[in-house]
Amino acid sequence: MTNLTREEINKIIAKNIALNLDSNSYVNLGVGLPTEVAYYIKPEQNIILHAENGLIGSAGDIKKGESYDPDVISSSGYPTKFKKGAAFFDSALSFGIIRGGHLSATVLGTMEVDQKGNVANYTIPGKLVVGMGGAMDLCVGARNVIIATTHTNKGRPKILKECKIPLTARNAATKIVTEKAIFEVKDNYLLLSSYNPMFTVEEIISEVEADVKVSDELSEMLTD
């Protein structure tokens, strides 16, 4: 059985999401793991990153040792870099961009996601949380909702037949990317379109509760 470190898991997920983003588009990166996608977007993709706290032209959160402007942060609340020509604005305009359908995609983390594309990413029963943030708007405003998540949580499936905790949005997710697989959300089932060759297809499917079909054009994910 292959064991990956958290750093390796995040890198595989972020790299494969970056590879699958549409060129010449506006993309929102959510809090946490999704922000790492910025590190793997290539200049030739011409992707403009949006942060819902009021920034177009984000270039990824600051890495340890890099200099930064403490007044410029991403939606994760961390200091972030920005490209030449970036624009800063208030939350009203930022959410106008989201609600107006101007984002090609958003990349969001989640606690649970299911085969209908339902997303539950803002609360843990019995624990105090600050709320769903911009995820509710992003799930219905972006044309594609890409879920970035570990395949399981302490051995328990995160990809379910039906979400068990309160939903952020219904029928929102269009794609799910884990360290082991890429699933396309179809009509009440998931299509396995790419897999990590470190794992067998049978193992990958056994660790989700959702109904899964395997694509006739199944491909391998990037793993390095």
Side-chain angles (χ1 to χ4, degrees):
M1 184 175 182
T2 303
N3 291 314
L4 300 171
T5 66
R6 185 58 197 240
E7 183 179 355
E8 290 171 330
I9 288 170
N10 288 6
K11 185 176 180 180
I12 290 170
I13 295 171
K15 265 194 167 185
N16 281 277
I17 290 174
L19 176 69
N20 282 278
L21 293 175
D22 292 336
S23 297
N24 307 311
S25 63
Y26 290 94
V27 175
N28 172 278
L29 300 181
V31 174
L33 167 57
T35 62
E36 298 188 28
V37 173
Y39 305 140
Y40 304 106
I41 293 173
K42 297 178 180 179
E44 58 267 29
Q45 289 180 275
N46 191 33
I47 291 171
I48 308 299
L49 295 178
H50 168 267
E52 66 262 28
N53 58 316
L55 170 61
I56 280 277
S58 173
D61 286 351
I62 299 296
K63 293 182 178 180
K64 187 176 181 180
E66 293 181 319
S67 60
Y68 63 91
D69 182 342
D71 292 325
V72 181
I73 62 174
S74 68
S75 54
S76 294
Y78 297 110
T80 192
K81 295 175 281 189
F82 56 93
K83 295 181 179 179
K84 182 178 181 180
F88 301 86
F89 34 78
D90 62 17
S91 292
L93 179 55
S94 186
F95 277 80
I97 291 170
I98 297 169
R99 295 169 184 171
H102 302 292
L103 296 176
S104 170
T106 183
V107 182
L108 298 173
T110 197
M111 293 170 189
E112 294 178 352
V113 61
D114 68 29
Q115 65 190 40
K116 297 179 182 178
N118 295 326
V119 178
N121 77 341
Y122 79 96
T123 189
I124 302 174
K127 294 190 178 182
L128 180 65
V129 292
V130 295
M132 64 185 69
M136 180 173 62
D137 292 270
L138 288 162
C139 279
V140 297
R143 294 192 290 278
N144 295 285
V145 177
I146 302 168
I147 300 300
T149 180
T150 55
H151 204 72
T152 60
N153 178 23
K154 298 179 181 178
R156 295 190 300 272
K158 293 184 72 176
I159 304 171
L160 309 175
K161 250 184 167 340
E162 187 173 347
C163 289
K164 297 178 175 67
I165 62 176
L167 299 182
T168 305
R170 291 184 179 277
N171 310 117
T174 54
K175 183 176 293 185
I176 303 166
V177 182
T178 80
E179 76 277 15
K180 297 182 180 182
I182 299 177
F183 298 101
E184 310 289 337
V185 181
K186 298 298 183 180
D187 185 17
N188 208 29
Y189 72 93
L190 302 180
L191 182 69
L192 177 63
S193 58
S194 296
Y195 77 106
N196 183 335
M198 299 177 187
F199 307 91
T200 67
V201 170
E202 291 74 20
E203 180 183 356
I204 290 167
I205 294 175
S206 72
E207 293 179 327
V208 305
E209 289 183 1
D211 295 324
V212 176
K213 296 181 181 180
V214 179
S215 173
D216 293 335
E217 300 176 352
L218 184 66
S219 61
E220 293 187 358
M221 298 172 68
L222 290 176
T223 57
D224 54 20

